[in-house]
C-alpha cells in the first residue's frame, strides 16, 4: 500500500458490528488510536468513546476535526444516507462508507431494483406502486406468496413475505402507516411487490473502491427470532463463516453474475463507491439472485467474518477509502467462526432495559472466544446493564464449525442476565449437512 496508514481512526456506531470493527482496527500493526461515537460499554473498554449520536452529522464532523482524526469508518446505514461521508469529504477526511448517492442503494429498494433489472443482474421480478390501492388491486390478481417491500429505510420492518392475499393487503396498509411517520419525506408511500424466491440466503460482504473490490469470506445470517427460522424477522440472531453452501464454484458464479456487474453498474451510475457493498443473495434452484444491497457491514455477519481475517483490516479499509485497492490480496484464516447474538427477551418487540449482566472473566472463556457488546451500558452504580434489543454477540473461532458452536454456546450459557435470550441453532443447517 502506497500511503502510510492513519494514526487515528473514528468508528461511528454503537452495535456489535462496531465493537468488532474497533477491535480489528485496533489490532493493526500500525497501532492507531481508536475513537468511537457513540460506542457502548464494551467498546469503551478498548477505545475512546464520545457521546455523539450516529445520526448527528454536524456533531460527528466537529468531533472528527476536534480530535484530529485521520480516518473515519462508518458502521450503520443512517449516517451514510444522511450524507456523513459527503460532509467529511468536504473537509478532506478519508472515509470508509459511501456518500449519500451510494447509500441510496440501501435506502431505496426501488432504485436498487431498477438498477438490477437495467443491468440484467439476477433478481426477483417486481412491480412498483406509489399508491396503496393500486398495489392492493395488483396483489389480488397475483398468485401467492408475494413479497411486499417499503421503499425507504425501515429498520428491518420494511419487508413482509405474505402467504395469502389478505396478509399481503394488510402488509401494504401497515407499511403505508409506518412510512407516513418516516423522516425520509420523499419515500413515504412507495411500495415494491416482488415474486417470492425460495432457497437459502447468504450474505456477501464486498469491500468496494470504485471499480476495484475485494470479496470478504462468505457468511450466513439467521434472521428470524426463533429456532428453526420461526417467528418475526430481526436484525440478525447469529451468523457463521464460511458458509460452505457457497462452494468455490458457486462463489465464482456469484462473482461473475452478480458482484462484478454490480460494481460496474454502480460505477456506471457515476457513484464513486468506497465502502462495503453487502449483497443479500438467495441461492435458488435456478441460481443466485440478489435480494438486496446494503451499503455497510452486516450485523452480526461482521462479528463472524472479521475474526477470520489474517490481513490488517485497517490497511484494507484505508486502501478502499484512498482508491488504492487494486491488486489487494486478502488473507483469510482457515478456521470457522460462529457468532450467537444474545438478545433481551421480547426482542424484536418490546423488551426490558437496565437488567444487570454478569460476564465470565476472559480467562474463563473457551479459547478464541470473544464477547462483542451491542446494546450494553453502565448504570449509575457502574454495573453492566442491557440497553438495547440485541445485547451481545458471542463469537468463537475454531478448526471446525462444531467446535466453534460448542465454544460459543458454552460462553453464552455462562453469561448471567435475567432477560437473556438466544437461538440454540445457529449454524445448524451447515452442521446437519457436514
Ligand atoms: P431485504 O431487506 O430486501 O433483504 O428483505 C429482508 C428479508 O426478506 C430477506 O433477507 C429475505 O429473508 C426476505 N425476502 C426479501 N425479498 C424476498 C424475495 N423476493 N423472496 C423471498 N424472500 C425475500
Ligand atoms: N444481518 C443483516 C444486516 O445487517 O442487515
Amino acid at each position: 500500500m502506497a500511503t502510510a496508514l492513519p494514526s487515528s481512526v473514528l468508528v461511528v456506531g454503537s452495535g456489535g458490528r462496531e465493537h468488532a470493527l474497533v477491535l480489528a482496527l485496533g489490532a493493526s500493526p500500525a497501532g492507531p488510536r481508536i475513537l468511537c461515537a457513540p460506542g457502548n460499554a464494551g467498546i469503551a473498554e478498548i477505545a475512546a468513546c464520545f457521546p455523539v449520536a450516529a445520526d448527528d452529522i454536524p456533531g460527528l464532523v466537529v468531533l472528527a476535526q476536534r480530535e484530529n482524526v485521520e480516518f473515519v469508518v462508518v458502521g450503520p446505514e443512517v449516517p451514510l444516507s444522511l450524507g456523513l461521508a459527503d460532509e467529511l469529504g468536504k473537509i478532506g477526511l478519508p472515509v470508509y462508507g459511501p456518500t449519500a448517492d451510494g447509500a441510496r442503494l440501501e435506502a431505496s429498494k426501488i432504485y436498487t431494483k431498477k438498477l438490477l433489472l437495467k443491468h440484467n443482474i439476477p433478481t426477483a421480478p417486481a412491480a412498483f406502486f406509489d399508491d396503496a390501492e393500486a398495489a392492493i388491486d395488483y396483489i389480488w390478481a397475483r398468485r401467492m406468496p408475494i413479497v411486499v417491500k417499503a421503499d425507504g429505510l425501515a429498520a428491518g420492518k420494511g419487508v413482509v413475505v405474505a402467504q395469502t392475499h389478505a396478509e399481503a393487503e394488510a402488509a401494504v396498509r401497515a407499511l403505508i402507516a409506518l412510512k407516513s411517520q418516516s423522516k425520509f419525506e420523499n419515500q413515504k408511500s412507495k411500495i415494491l411487490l416482488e415474486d417470492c424466491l425460495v432457497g437459502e440466503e447468504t450474505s456477501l460482504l464486498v469491500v468496494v473502491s470504485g471499480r476495484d473490490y475485494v470479496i470478504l469470506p462468505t457468511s450466513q445470517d439467521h434472521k428470524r427470532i426463533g429456532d428453526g427460522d420461526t417467528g418475526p424477522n430481526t436484525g440478525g440472531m447469529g451468523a457463521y463463516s464460511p458458509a460452505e453452501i457457497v462452494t468455490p464454484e458457486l462463489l465464482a458464479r456469484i462473482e461473475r453474475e452478480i458482484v462484478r456487474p454490480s460494481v460496474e453498474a454502480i460505477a456506471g451510475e457515476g457513484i464513486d463507491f468506497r465502502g462495503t457493498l453487502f449483497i443479500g443473495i438467495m441461492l435458488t434452484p435456478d441460481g443466485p439472485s440478489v435480494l438486496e444491497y446494503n451499503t455497510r457491514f452486516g450485523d452480526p455477519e461482521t462479528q463472524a467474518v472479521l475474526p477470520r481475517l489474517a490481513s490488517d483490516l485497517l490497511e484494507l479499509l484505508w486502501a478502499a477509502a484512498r482508491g488504492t485497492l487494486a491488486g489487494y490480496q486478502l488473507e483469510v484464516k482457515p478456521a470457522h467462526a460462529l457468532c450467537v447474538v444474545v438478545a433481551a427477551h421480547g426482542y424484536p418487540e418490546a423488551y426490558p432495559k437496565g437488567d444487570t449482566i454478569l460476564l465470565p472473566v476472559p480467562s474463563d472463556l473457551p479459547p478464541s472466544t470473544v464477547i462483542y457488546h451491542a446494546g450494553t451500558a453502565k448504570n449509575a452504580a457502574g454495573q453492566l446493564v442491557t440497553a438495547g434489543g440485541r445485547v451481545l454477540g458471542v463469537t468463537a473461532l475454531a478448526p471446525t464449525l462444531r467446535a466453534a458452536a460448542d465454544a460459543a454456546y458454552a460462553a453464552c450459557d455462562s453469561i448471567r442476565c435475567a432477560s437473556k435470550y438466544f437461538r440454540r441453532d445457529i449454524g445448524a443447517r451447515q452442521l446437519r449437512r457436514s
Side-chain angles (χ1 to χ4, degrees):
M1 296 301 113
T3 47
L5 294 179
S7 64
S8 59
V9 185
L10 170 64
V11 175
V12 175
S14 60
R17 164 184 56 206
E18 286 75 22
H19 195 173
L21 285 166
V22 164
L23 199 62
L25 291 167
S28 168
R33 173 177 182 233
I34 308 285
L35 303 80
C36 187
N40 58 38
I43 295 174
E45 287 170 13
I46 54 170
C49 289
F50 296 84
V52 181
D55 60 359
D56 176 0
I57 308 306
L60 291 168
V61 173
V62 167
L63 174 68
Q65 283 178 304
R66 194 188 68 213
E67 295 295 324
N68 291 315
V69 164
E70 293 176 10
F71 184 33
V72 180
V73 174
V74 185
E77 60 274 21
V78 171
L80 296 168
S81 281
L82 294 175
L84 177 58
D86 306 68
E87 293 307 314
L88 292 169
K90 284 181 197 160
I91 58 166
L93 246 178
V95 185
Y96 183 80
T99 44
D101 58 354
R104 206 169 156 215
L105 293 159
E106 172 164 1
S108 171
K109 290 182 190 297
I110 291 179
Y111 172 70
T112 289
K113 182 61 83 170
K114 288 183 173 165
L115 186 79
L116 291 165
L117 295 171
K118 177 172 150 194
H119 292 272
N120 288 318
I121 299 169
T123 191
F128 312 98
F129 299 91
D130 285 333
D131 168 64
E133 297 313 319
I136 289 164
D137 287 347
Y138 176 89
I139 283 169
W140 284 92
R142 300 284 295 186
R143 271 221 289 268
M144 296 296 110
I146 196 166
V147 183
V148 181
K149 298 189 176 184
D151 188 35
L153 292 178
K157 293 183 187 138
V159 178
V160 174
V161 181
Q163 301 297 333
T164 66
H165 292 98
E167 205 186 319
E169 175 171 342
V172 169
R173 296 199 188 281
L175 290 182
I176 297 285
L178 180 75
K179 298 310 288 182
S180 66
Q181 303 148 19
S182 170
K183 53 183 168 177
F184 298 90
E185 279 296 321
N186 57 339
Q187 298 168 352
K188 269 190 173 159
S189 59
K190 296 204 183 110
I191 298 277
L192 188 155
L193 299 175
E194 68 179 48
D195 290 1
C196 188
L197 301 174
V198 181
E200 251 183 72
E201 285 177 49
T202 186
S203 305
L204 201 64
L205 304 178
V206 187
V207 173
V208 176
S209 180
R211 289 192 148 85
D212 299 314
Y213 62 87
V214 171
I215 299 177
L216 296 184
T218 56
S219 63
Q220 199 169 44
D221 188 11
H222 297 63
K223 293 206 168 158
R224 305 296 195 98
I225 187 71
D227 284 7
D229 296 327
T230 52
N233 261 331
T234 68
M237 293 303 294
Y240 63 90
S241 174
E244 288 180 332
I245 191 169
V246 184
T247 59
E249 297 72 35
L250 181 54
L251 186 60
R253 179 174 177 187
I254 290 172
E255 177 170 10
R256 193 173 63 243
E257 294 181 5
I258 293 177
V259 177
R260 202 171 304 134
S262 294
V263 170
E264 286 298 324
I266 292 163
E269 292 290 298
I271 299 170
D272 184 10
F273 193 103
R274 298 179 187 209
T276 305
L277 184 69
F278 163 157
I279 313 180
I281 297 172
M282 187 73 92
L283 304 171
T284 81
D286 299 326
S289 181
V290 176
L291 290 169
E292 63 168 342
Y293 292 137
N294 295 312
T295 59
R296 51 168 175 86
F297 282 106
D299 188 343
E301 289 89 336
T302 301
Q303 295 91 301
V305 167
L306 294 189
R308 294 192 56 226
L309 299 189
S311 297
D312 177 4
L313 184 70
L314 179 63
E315 185 184 63
L316 172 64
L317 304 191
W318 179 248
R322 304 293 290 165
T324 58
L325 193 62
Y328 188 93
Q329 289 297 319
L330 186 72
E331 287 179 33
V332 178
K333 298 174 194 166
H336 293 256
L338 184 132
C339 173
V340 180
V341 170
V342 177
H345 200 87
Y347 173 79
E349 264 86 59
Y351 52 82
K353 283 188 185 175
D355 273 355
T356 50
I357 309 168
L358 277 178
L359 296 180
V361 292
S363 58
D364 284 348
L365 284 174
S368 301
T369 302
V370 188
I371 300 181
Y372 295 113
H373 289 231
T376 67
K378 289 274 176 80
N379 66 13
Q383 294 167 308
L384 186 66
V385 294
T386 64
R390 292 192 291 173
V391 179
L392 302 163
V394 181
T395 297
L397 194 69
T400 65
L401 187 62
R402 167 54 62 200
D406 289 347
Y409 278 113
C412 288
D413 285 328
S414 69
I415 293 167
R416 285 167 50 199
C417 176
S419 54
K420 131 180 130 167
Y421 167 82
F422 54 89
R423 276 181 65 161
R424 280 278 167 194
D425 65 343
I426 303 305
R429 270 208 220 99
Q430 180 156 310
L431 288 169
R432 271 196 303 273
R433 273 194 290 266
S434 55

